[in-house]
Amino acid sequence: MPKTLTRRGLLTRGAALIGCSAAASPLMTTVTFAAAPWDARLVTIILRGAMDGLDVVRPVGDPDYAAARAGLLKETAPGLPLDGFFELNPALSPLMPLWKAGQLGFVQAVSTPYRDKRSHFDGQDILEAGTGLDVPDHTRRDGWLNRMLQTQPGVESSTAYAIGSDEMKVLEGQAPVMNWSPNAELSVSPQARLLLNEIYHDDPLFRDSATEAIELAALRERDGAQLVGDAALPGGKLIPEEELAAFTAGRLREESRIAAFSINGWDTHRDQQKALPRTLNRLARTVLALRKGLGPVWERTTVLAMTEFGRTVRENGSGGTDHGTGGAMLLAGGAVRGGKVYGKWPGLSETALYERRDLMPTADVRAYAAWALHGNYGVSRSQLETEIFPGLDMGADPGLLL
Amino acid sequence: MKTATIAAIRFGYGLGPEGQPDSPDAVLKSLKLPDKVAQAYPMLDLAAAQKMVTEVHALARKVKGGGKAAAERRTAKQKEINLETLGALRVSLARIAETSSPFRERLTTFWSDHFTAPVRGVSLTPFAIAKIDGALRPNLTGRFADLLSAAVLHPAMLLYLDQTSSVGPNSPAGKKRNLGLNENLAREVLELHTMGVGGSFTQDDVRQFAELLTGLDFRAARGFAFLPPKAEPGAETILGQSYGGEQPARLDDILAFLDDLSVHPDTAAHVSRKLAVHFVSDDPPQALVDQMSATWTKTGGDLFAVYDAMLRHPDAWTPVFAKAKQPFDFVASGIVALGIGGDEIMAMDDKKFRRAMFRTLNVMGQRFMLPGGPNGWPEEAEAWITPLGVSQRILWGLQVPSMLRKELPDPRSFVTRVLDDAASPRLVWAVGASETVPQGVGLVFASPEFNRR
């Protein structure tokens, strides 16, 4: 071990390092990825906290809606007409051009099989596991997107990405997936890179992970930079969800095909007309960032935004809504048949409600996800109904995809 | 490599400014020292947890009744409970910073994960925290039977694994309200806590064990109770033995089964292997596991004797560091390496603490006490040394030490003090070749030598 290192000795050693090993240095080379098995892109966004589907896609044509939501409706701007029966929450107005172009749609009155206890955690676990309630808790350790990957040949770890620092159970399981958070902010000086290369030289696990981390951090800077010009915030600063979307788009433009991340902040027990528009605005910006970032690939993209359950039909005493059952799902992308609100509307009269309080689910939200996997990746109906979403009856094809 | 280096890195949190137990003997003896750090840095206890949860439940009822003021108080209370997780992390790290027995803290973390109850939701979080000192810490070095029953019957476990909603279908309570069994706890005790997923139990054993467990109950306001009217009548046959059958049903019959289960050969093998995997190698030598397992059987599950068997086995002292420190241990080792004191951790500005400790764990994928399922955290190095994981270790090394210490140590002496003869010549060279002091210190934390054990 050298006791002291002279500046000159350092420079010589450093120069030697650069001169001799730059070409072979893992931290200096570009990661190469294998080709993906399919062309279609799928982005799954988990809306954590239970989105109020009744305020997002407002059933203004229902005779009982206005009375159930009188206080909430007073505090908000009128909705944007969608199909004569439903109106869109005005906070999603940035997405209206997509609706008009047939690249944005919704599903109303859907839910997972989860009922009654209305716990966010259990609800999200079941949404991400894609199982029914007949499956014991302990077997709910992998997610439906991961099980889908397990059925497909040619899947590499870079085929699917869990993005952000939230745990994404929907992608967890035996099939290899990548996990990266664009806020990891790993940017190191060239000298630090060389030194990291030196200390990881003999440890392949560290060397490969660090190489990829540095590459991914660099990609994030590139992908983010492309969006900054258009960002609505002063100074062109991206909100965290746009960072996720930008990074997602960057990966999907390359070898990746599937990505999942979360948007939180939907648990609007109080002051819903302040809280919900803020979160909807983040959702809108996320979808637009995906479209922009994906460029031509947007045409082959399906975005599914799903939540663990809906909220009560009647507003509560603190200007909000409580945990409910039936909810809504958002679809976007060039691959979807948008401009349409899917689903069978159950009505809001007291007897039509689930337990006289919640929107009655008329379809399983997993069926829509299943049809998206079927249409995009050719996964067979029997695999979907037994392995990926065990116990699901997919029902008739709703024709979600073009 | 020196025995002292291996002892500190493999059975503790690495070398710090203070002396560490430096031999198998010293590591074992340290477990016999009085548990001073637990007194100096107390963790939330069961009574306080019950009070907190009872209050928040009472407020929830008022909110349902339309109380507006109650809604605000409930939100404040919920926030307070969520902050307990942060507090528990502080206490855990402060204990590590000050302890004379790092192995005791490592064992606490190991058993806490073995008997996972996550800090999830306001009704569970306080109990999950209270379980550490209530059920685990007093039983770290005694009979496994005592640790097992304390953990399995703890409110955190009864709530988390749904035992509180399991009722004997033929019991008076079950018949009256048409309630039935929930097998969750019974299955996890067999599959995770004792015999292991490959253990020689059947679905029928799970079901019979679930029937035996009925009657166990916990309510925040009232506390733990064994309620015979919830218990399934009749005896249960589990693993070929009959338990219970008395009228009314007795808690003792559950304890009798847990006692037998604690010394079942499958339990000895499964838990010995798990200990060896945690401390020695992701793929431990079978001779080491067999030695531990034989000791388990010979001593009736005396945990101190099992640790003794592990620590005295030559396979536990191989100089190859094949395992990776989990994120919590990485952060804890960082604190020890920098010589941050327990009081300093307790007094640390909230924002700084979140950035340096709490959030780091989240981004590295190991939310404090919040694994995804009852199976706890994965052990394999590959689960943690991912692009995201490594990037966060590099970042932590480059940024956090300067947040915690006004004056950083000279990297050239720091690398030797922290890693001694575990530091490779490459690392020593690279640290000396750094552009700046923070970068040199950062390389030590980023190095495989610091991250492996």
Side-chain angles (χ1 to χ4, degrees), chain B residues 25-78:
Chain B
D25 253 346
V27 172
L28 285 164
K29 266 193 195 144
S30 77
L31 289 178
K32 303 278 191 192
L33 297 171
D35 192 355
K36 281 190 198 154
V37 290
Q39 285 170 5
Y41 303 108
M43 195 78 89
L44 187 72
D45 67 16
L46 183 57
Q50 279 183 251
K51 186 163 172 279
M52 251 175 209
V53 175
T54 307
E55 279 171 14
V56 86
H57 286 172
L59 288 169
R61 281 192 296 274
K62 280 191 190 160
V63 173
K64 262 200 179 151
K68 267 214 162 169
E72 261 164 45
R73 276 167 53 214
R74 180 179 66 163
T75 309
K77 199 85 210 160
Q78 285 170 334

Side-chain angles (χ1 to χ4, degrees), chain A residues 52 106 108 114 120 163 175 180 202 222 232 263 268 288 306 315 351 369:
Chain A
D52 183 21
F106 297 93
Q108 262 294 16
Y114 181 59
H120 291 301
I163 294 165
W180 182 251
D202 295 330
R222 185 199 71 189
I263 299 182
T268 49
L288 292 177
M306 314 161 82
E315 63 195 51
T351 51

Side-chain angles (χ1 to χ4, degrees), chain A residues 96-179:
Chain A
M96 272 315 270
L98 288 184
W99 171 268
K100 288 182 179 142
Q103 297 185 341
L104 175 73
F106 297 93
V107 188
Q108 262 294 16
V110 281
S111 77
T112 68
Y114 181 59
R115 290 291 181 279
D116 297 342
K117 279 175 91 179
R118 301 181 178 88
S119 144
H120 291 301
F121 299 121
D122 296 344
Q124 288 167 29
D125 279 359
I126 288 168
L127 173 67
E128 294 181 77
T131 60
L133 289 174
D134 49 331
V135 176
D137 282 354
H138 70 280
T139 59
R140 269 189 218 120
R141 283 175 197 159
D142 57 1
W144 53 265
L145 267 177
N146 192 285
R147 283 199 302 278
M148 191 281 276
L149 293 169
Q150 291 171 36
T151 66
Q152 300 294 303
V155 168
E156 305 272 329
S157 65
S158 57
T159 303
Y161 265 83
I163 294 165
S165 36
D166 276 329
E167 186 183 22
M168 295 304 296
K169 284 190 182 167
V170 69
L171 260 176
E172 271 173 26
Q174 305 250 309
V177 297
M178 291 287 285
N179 174 220

Side-chain angles (χ1 to χ4, degrees), chain B residues 229-350:
Chain B
K230 279 178 76 180
E232 181 71 0
E236 281 85 24
T237 302
I238 321 170
L239 304 172
Q241 294 268 351
S242 176
Y243 298 88
E246 306 286 329
Q247 213 34 268
R250 302 176 317 174
L251 178 60
D252 280 354
D253 296 319
I254 297 173
L255 294 174
F257 172 67
L258 290 177
D259 236 51
D260 292 347
L261 184 60
S262 78
V263 292
H264 191 284
D266 289 354
T267 302
H270 172 66
V271 185
S272 293
R273 186 179 151 81
K274 222 180 142 183
L275 275 162
V277 165
H278 185 74
F279 285 99
V280 179
S281 163
D282 292 347
D283 186 17
Q286 195 54 42
L288 171 67
V289 177
D290 288 347
Q291 179 74 46
M292 294 167 69
S293 189
T295 306
W296 188 297
T297 302
K298 200 171 68 200
T299 61
D302 179 335
L303 290 173
F304 188 86
V306 175
Y307 307 148
D308 186 294
M310 173 169 71
L311 281 156
R312 293 192 195 284
H313 201 283
D315 287 342
W317 298 90
T318 51
V320 180
F321 287 162
K323 286 190 64 70
K325 287 177 184 169
Q326 294 180 17
F328 175 82
D329 284 3
F330 170 81
V331 168
S333 303
I335 285 170
V336 170
L338 290 166
I340 311 286
D343 292 345
E344 211 179 324
I345 291 166
M346 296 309 291
M348 194 178 292
D349 164 72
D350 215 47

Side-chain angles (χ1 to χ4, degrees), chain B residues 198-236:
Chain B
S200 53
F201 62 90
T202 63
Q203 171 56 34
D204 198 45
D205 291 319
V206 172
R207 178 131 194 117
Q208 295 273 312
F209 182 24
E211 287 183 8
L212 182 67
L213 287 174
T214 52
L216 291 174
D217 197 69
F218 179 79
R219 296 283 176 269
R222 188 201 55 211
F224 174 87
F226 183 75
L227 305 177
K230 279 178 76 180
E232 181 71 0
E236 281 85 24

